[in-house]
Amino acid sequence: MFGKKILGTILCAAIAFTALTGCAGGGTKKVGISMPTQDLQRWNQDGAYMEEKFKAAGYEVDLKYAGNKADVQLSQVEDMINTGCKVIIIAAVEASSLGQALDKAAKKKIPVIAYDRLLMSNENVSYYATFDNYKVGQIQGEFVRDALQLDSTSGPYNIEFTAGDPGDNNAGVFFQGAMDVLKPYLDSGKLVCVSGQTDFDSVATPKWDSATAQARAESIIGNYSDKNIDAWLCSNDSTAQGVVTALDSSYNSEGRGGQWPIITGQDCDIVSMQNMLAGKQTMSIFKDTRTLAERTVIMVNQILNGETVETNSEYDNKAKKVPSYLCDPVFADINNYKEILIDSGYYSEADLA
Ligand code: GAL
């Protein structure tokens, strides 16, 4: 009788421990977090915030940054597999470069969550946590449409485009979302792209690199010696920063009646918010890394507790339809940045000074 009581107590304690920590005994739960680079601001925040949230939830964390090198990321993820990570979270440097690691993870029954960037062409991707990438592009395109009043003025207006990394599935989705809004105006001639570069491959920016975006913008600006650039659709802030630097040095807006192009972005990077306050970038899109990190922690808990993983969409990664959770992107400009960035505690006033 007494033995049964002891056994019952131990059993109850084990159940309580599992419910609280998502771990069925047998030591600490360990998660691997594989981020692409520290060269682009947002990934530092994604990594740091996820590490904080997972540690607070009782997890051991192996956080690695791959320096934007696909081969480095591959070996880092394989190391996470070999050192007992129960779940691995990956924002890929290159969407189709990790198949070998994904197959190894599957063999060891380690679920993989694609984080913000979809892992492509491999069925061993368990879930995808991101923001609504198509909606990001739509918001950018609609902003240009409305800021130029394309539906109520005759134009024509000159526009250029700078998209993201062709190795990042998001880049094509952002660009498609924007083009689905703006292409009718290009077709009607109300929008004119003087460089003639309106296809993704021509406007893509490897690694989302600011200097690369700047060099391409400088060569395009040469076509505008006697014309205004009315808008420049940039898919994110690092590329917008490159375009702004190019315009600053080789586009004399004073000589054109002080007209500075409408410039879009995404991520609310500090440099871009400073450019926005200086009137050099017109809008960005806030993708609160705290929201995405918290969603990812919820997904990992649900996976390890054997619960149904909450999703609200799915993405086809060319090998399977990956169950996904899309968080909502938020429009940001000079009129609302204080509320969404400062009041929410994401940045301090000093950060943006
Ligand atoms: C994308 C991400 C964007 C953008 C870019 C560069 O995958 O969704 O927010 O910042 O990478 O980091």
Side-chain angles (χ1 to χ4, degrees):
M1 190 59 181
F2 182 72
K4 275 186 179 173
K5 265 193 170 181
I6 287 278
L7 189 60
T9 308
I10 291 169
L11 192 58
C12 290
I15 291 167
F17 177 79
T18 304
L20 283 171
T21 65
C23 179
T28 312
K29 315 156 287 175
K30 183 177 177 183
V31 293
I33 303 173
S34 172
M35 292 286 105
T37 176
Q38 292 190 281
D39 297 341
L40 294 164
Q41 179 196 313
R42 64 151 299 172
W43 301 110
N44 297 286
Q45 291 161 252
D46 292 278
Y49 204 75
M50 270 195 282
E51 181 174 48
E52 179 194 325
K53 297 303 276 184
F54 274 114
K55 283 184 172 173
Y59 289 85
E60 186 186 338
V61 176
D62 180 4
L63 168 61
K64 292 283 187 315
Y65 290 89
N68 253 340
K69 292 183 174 59
D71 57 343
V72 170
Q73 186 169 43
L74 179 62
S75 62
Q76 287 174 337
V77 173
E78 291 185 321
D79 184 51
M80 291 171 183
I81 294 167
N82 298 330
T83 53
C85 289
K86 297 275 189 276
V87 180
I88 298 175
I89 298 140
I90 304 173
V93 171
E94 205 291 326
S96 307
S97 63
L98 294 170
Q100 175 184 312
L102 296 177
D103 296 343
K104 282 183 182 170
K107 283 198 181 70
K108 297 184 88 172
K109 301 206 184 318
I110 301 170
V112 171
I113 297 176
Y115 180 91
D116 192 68
R117 295 178 173 176
L118 189 56
L119 288 157
M120 298 300 290
S121 314
N122 187 290
E123 63 190 10
N124 298 311
V125 183
S126 311
Y127 297 98
Y128 180 32
T130 190
F131 285 87
D132 186 332
N133 301 304
Y134 184 81
K135 190 173 174 185
V136 166
Q138 267 183 322
I139 294 171
Q140 294 169 335
E142 288 165 357
F143 177 77
V144 169
R145 176 196 66 197
D146 299 342
L148 292 180
Q149 299 177 302
L150 296 181
D151 289 336
S152 56
T153 60
S154 53
Y157 301 94
N158 296 327
I159 187 169
E160 294 293 338
F161 300 88
T162 299
D165 180 1
D168 176 357
N169 185 65
N170 285 355
V173 179
F174 298 144
F175 187 67
Q176 193 61 54
M179 266 308 186
D180 285 352
V181 173
L182 297 176
K183 190 172 183 307
Y185 301 99
L186 287 163
D187 293 347
S188 69
K190 191 169 281 192
L191 279 178
V192 175
C193 180
V194 172
S195 71
Q197 297 174 21
T198 56
D199 63 297
F200 178 71
D201 290 343
S202 302
V203 305
T205 311
K207 304 296 183 212
W208 297 90
D209 178 63
S210 298
T212 305
Q214 178 186 337
R216 178 173 165 268
E218 282 163 354
S219 71
I220 286 173
I221 290 166
N223 303 321
Y224 284 87
S225 52
D226 60 343
K227 298 183 202 61
N228 277 345
I229 304 173
D230 299 301
W232 206 306
L233 190 290
C234 298
S235 290
N236 92 313
D237 285 353
S238 62
T239 53
Q241 289 155 31
V243 170
V244 166
T245 304
L247 288 166
D248 263 339
S249 62
S250 50
Y251 181 80
N252 170 11
S253 58
E254 281 67 43
R256 308 158 194 262
Q259 187 263 344
W260 187 263
I262 287 157
I263 298 180
T264 65
Q266 169 187 185
D267 295 317
C268 290
D269 283 358
I270 285 175
V271 171
S272 280
M273 292 303 95
Q274 292 166 338
N275 284 345
M276 191 172 76
L277 295 173
K280 300 285 187 183
Q281 181 172 330
T282 328
M283 61 78 74
S284 188
I285 289 177
F286 184 41
K287 301 191 329 183
D288 192 335
T289 52
R290 298 170 299 187
T291 305
L292 189 56
E294 281 156 11
R295 175 47 55 180
T296 306
V297 173
I298 290 169
M299 289 175 112
V300 169
N301 284 334
Q302 288 170 338
I303 291 169
L304 294 184
N305 291 339
E307 298 163 5
T308 303
V309 176
E310 191 185 344
T311 58
N312 59 17
S313 183
E314 64 180 27
Y315 264 67
D316 185 341
N317 81 342
K318 298 201 174 95
K320 70 179 274 191
K321 294 204 186 309
V322 181
S324 308
Y325 193 99
L326 308 187
C327 300
D328 277 332
V330 175
F331 172 84
D333 71 355
I334 196 82
N335 302 310
N336 72 349
Y337 83 95
K338 270 192 193 303
E339 180 202 339
I340 60 172
L341 296 174
I342 309 291
D343 299 350
S344 73
Y346 196 73
Y347 291 139
S348 67
E349 289 278 8
D351 288 331
L352 302 186

